[in-house]
């Protein structure tokens, strides 16, 4: 019974708080439909009682008419039949209305919860994306949050409905014999244990399986996604990943089936207990009717009430187990929504403005989570307004990390970045980032129109067609866009209809245009020409000074011929500043920069060490 130990019934206070929080979300997302859904559900729980009562009167009326051999009660019987039909119709109408209200309410809630998830996801500190545990939390939240609060409401309403119906049925049966009520309750004990037990077991199973499920989702993407499709074919990796997917999938499903198999056996046993209860109760009622101590109508009433009572009990236990399961899963959704955001303005908060003086890096150090080696170690330098600074260095030297620290996508472990003399921690990060424009090494491809792809650099203002064209021209992509079937309105990419796919280099030019369109005082270009052809690269770099005129620029590049135009070059090695100076100064000093420059330009003597 390894699994049973895992059931956590502790912290009822916390669970209750989560329940209330979930119900608050349901109410906030759709008050009208939530109220209607609840009222209809409760109304419907009274229907069976009225129906059973009518059946009893009807049966007795028919029996007495038959035994007296007279049809004089025909009118009364007809009224009872019409009443029963009306009741049936009302129940059906309420059922349909309830379905409609439930659907509308769950749609409203789903949209509301996606809103919460999405706004949290875009606000959350970027550093979370470097932690594997984060993706497990995110996966569980996305899986549960859109519908779990609704499940809590529905299960609570079901508990109330089932309880109400059970009390009414038990009341009816008590008019006959109390032992039947006891039998009814006792016969359901195995069921409630079963449901509660397996809710916990399955919850822990799904939680433990999140990482494995992500793994199979990843293999599935490798086999079906657009990006991997070329390598998969070229290297013939299909079978390899199909095997990995199958292994991962079977691992999850086999474990799940083992639990479900066990539950099925116990479920069969509990069904046997309930069938035995039916046998005993039917026997008691039949004997009482044969002995004449109860009327035929009473017999019909008790039999139906017993059957309905069993159904209500089953519903009650299902809903209770559902609530228990909800209490476990809703925690996952709130775990994500409650993740702390550390990258925010610290007091005293100051509003940043366009750069006037400089950006100063003071002794910056930073390590990625789970990586003991710092990516940045005690880095200090200054970037003056209007300067073009190049950052060079071998792979993994920390160049991209430094760019992210500058935009405050991460906070350093120690040291600080000062923007015009103020520690950037005191700025609202969103306001601060408005003064930065970045072409990331892994820039985004938006499946939108060409114009929108550029406009994503600054969505604050509309009607900037002229500026979009200027940015496209500067990035050397205007001719291509104008040649597209609908020019700037042509959909780019391969996801949607009438789209036009671009080459990687063309995408990169679009990304450059996007960053130029942002018109921010500080530009960071992280390997902006890695995919450009020689002509385009030459074009862009020969005009770089023009392009960034009036701005401060930080250029990260492996191509040494491109960085010679910078006012100053910072050489990073192993996360630290190894050298800095102009191209000429660095060449004269004959250090690591000279060595790399000579190797790349294939100049004789490149083999020497400094
Ligand atoms: P490249 O020239 O290859 O782009 P880079 O100089 O830009 O490299 P960074 O990407 O800043 O280097 O990486 C610096 C160091 O941080 C490397 O050692 C890298 O392995 C490590 N690193 C980068 N991203 C992560 C991450 N998400 N988690 C852990 N370590 C990371």
């Amino acid at each position: 019974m390894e699994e049973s130990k895992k059931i956590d019934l502790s912290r009822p206070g916390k669970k209750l708080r989560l329940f209330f929080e979930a119900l608050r979300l349901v109410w906030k997302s759709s008050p009208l439909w939530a109220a209607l859904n609840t009222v209809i559900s409760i109304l419907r729980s009274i229907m069976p009682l009225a129906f059973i009562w009518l059946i009893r009167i009807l049966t007795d009326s028919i029996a007495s008419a038959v035994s007296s051999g007279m049809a004089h009660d025909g009118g009364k019987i007809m009224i009872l039949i019409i009443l029963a039909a009306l009741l049936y119709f009302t129940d059906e109408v309420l059922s349909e209305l309830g379905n409609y209200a439930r659907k509308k309410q769950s749609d409203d809630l789903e949209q509301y919860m996606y809103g919460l998830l999405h706004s949290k996801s875009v606000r959350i500190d970027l550093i979370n994306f470097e932690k594997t545990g984060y993706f497990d939390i995110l996966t569980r939240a996305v899986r549960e949050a859109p519908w779990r609060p609704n499940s809590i409401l529905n299960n609570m309403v079901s508990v109330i409905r089932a309880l109400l119906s059970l009390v009414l049925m038990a009341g009816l049966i008590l008019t006959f014999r109390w032992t039947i009520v006891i039998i009814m309750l006792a016969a359901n004990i195995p069921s409630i244990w079963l449901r509660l037990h397996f809710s916990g077991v399955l919850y822990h199973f799904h939680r433990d399986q999140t990482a494995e499920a992500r793994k199979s989702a990843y293999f599935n993407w490798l086999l079906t996604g657009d990006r991997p499709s070329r390598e998969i074919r070229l290297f013939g990796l299909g079978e390899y990943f199909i095997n990995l997917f199958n292994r991962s999938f079977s691992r999850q499903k086999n474990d799940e089936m083992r639990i479900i198999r066990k539950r099925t056996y116990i479920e069969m046993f509990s069904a046997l207990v309930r069938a035995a209860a039916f046998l005993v109760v039917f026997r008691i009622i039949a004997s009482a009717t044969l002995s004449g101590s109860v009327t035929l109508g009473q017999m019909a009433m008790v039999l139906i009430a017993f059957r309905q009572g069993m159904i209500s009990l089953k519903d009650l236990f299902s809903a209770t187990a559902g609530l228990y399961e909800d209490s476990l899963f809703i925690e996952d959704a709130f775990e994500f929504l409650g993740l702390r955001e550390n990258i925010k303005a610290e007091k005293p908060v100051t509003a940043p403005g366009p750069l006037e003086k400089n950006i100063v890096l003071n002794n910056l150090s930073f390590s990625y989570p789970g990586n003991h080696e710092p990516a940045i170690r005690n880095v200090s330098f200054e970037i003056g307004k209007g300067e073009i600074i190049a950052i060079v260095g071998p792979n993994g030297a920390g160049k991209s990390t430094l760019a992210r620290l500058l935009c405050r996508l991460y906070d350093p472990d120690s040291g600080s970045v000062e923007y015009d003399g103020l520690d950037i921690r005191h700025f609202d990060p969103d306001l601060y980032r408005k003064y930065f424009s970045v072409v990331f090494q892994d820039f985004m491809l938006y499946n939108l129109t060409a114009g929108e792809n550029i406009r994503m650099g600054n969505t604050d203002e509309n009607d900037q067609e002229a500026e979009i064209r200027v940015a496209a021209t500067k990035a050397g992509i205007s001719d291509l866009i104008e040649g597209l079937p609908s020019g700037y309105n042509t959909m780019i990419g391969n996801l949607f209809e009438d789209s036009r796919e671009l080459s990687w280099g063309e995408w990169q030019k679009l990304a450059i245009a996007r960053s130029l369109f942002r018109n921010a005082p500080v530009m960071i270009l992280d390997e902006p020409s890695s995919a450009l052809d020689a002509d385009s690269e030459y074009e862009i770099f020969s005009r770089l000074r023009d392009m960034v005129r009036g701005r401060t620029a930080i250029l990260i590049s492996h191509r040494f011929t491109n960085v010679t135009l910078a006012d100053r070059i910072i050489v990073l090695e192993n996360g630290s500043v190894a050298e800095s100076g102009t191209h000429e100064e660095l060449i004269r000093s004959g250090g690591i920069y000279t060595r790399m420059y000579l190797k790349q330009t294939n100049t004789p003597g490149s083999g020497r060490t400094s």
Side-chain angles (χ1 to χ4, degrees), residues 130 368 371 375 394-401 441 558:
E130 313 298 347
Y368 282 99
N371 193 345
N395 290 128
K399 304 180 293 294
S400 300
T401 308
Q441 209 174 36
H558 284 127

